[in-house]
Amino acid sequence: MGEVPGTRHCDLLAWPHWVLKNLYGPVGVMFGKFYAGEEEVTAAGHRIPAAPASFLPVRAAVRRRDPQFLRATPDLAAALAAADDDGRDVFEHIPTEWTEIRTWARHLLPPAKPSPSSSDRPASPPRSSS
């Protein structure tokens, strides 16, 4: 990803990451997000080296373990725990017009995290310029 003046990579990746998790979680696919230059720490306290570039990794879900990553979103955690790759087209019921996509995506937004900084909240779907 290149630079967008006044916007952090975590803000650019938040909404696509959230939508992908909701589309693919029920079929057993997990998405993560890493930002260039930002170090992270695992739940066990182990350091994760800084990513050289911002990216959204994808992998098969581990149904016994991965729902713990989704504790703040119990419906998504439950969908992942019961995931079944039944061959469905996850895009089948997604609208194709941008205004309809924005309306559809609004119901997927996660609850706001209690934080003193609003920069920790996922970005809203981009607004149409038309």
Side-chain angles (χ1 to χ4, degrees):
M1 291 179 57
E3 295 302 316
V4 177
T7 304
R8 300 175 314 159
H9 284 191
C10 64
D11 296 329
L12 293 172
L13 293 177
W15 186 70
H17 173 252
W18 180 249
V19 170
L20 289 168
K21 284 183 0 182
N22 277 274
L23 286 173
Y24 285 96
V27 296
V29 177
M30 283 286 287
F31 285 85
K33 60 182 183 287
F34 293 94
Y35 316 115
E38 292 190 28
E39 285 191 16
E40 297 199 27
V41 178
T42 68
H46 301 289
R47 182 182 152 270
I48 299 173
S54 296
F55 66 101
L56 296 172
V58 60
R59 66 173 171 78
V62 179
R63 290 188 298 167
R64 290 177 310 165
R65 190 179 62 202
D66 285 341
Q68 71 184 339
F69 292 119
L70 305 170
R71 279 186 291 235
T73 53
D75 292 343
L76 184 54
L80 184 68
D84 180 31
D85 187 358
D86 54 11
R88 75 182 94 162
D89 177 358
V90 297
F91 291 98
E92 181 179 9
H93 299 292
I94 307 300
T96 57
E97 294 297 319
W98 181 241
T99 55
E100 294 172 355
I101 291 171
R102 283 181 30 211
T103 301
W104 167 81
R106 279 196 180 100
H107 83 276
L108 296 177
L109 291 175
K113 294 179 182 177
S115 169
S117 169
S118 63
S119 64
D120 291 338
R121 278 190 228 124
S124 298
R127 299 204 189 285
S128 173
S129 60
S130 53

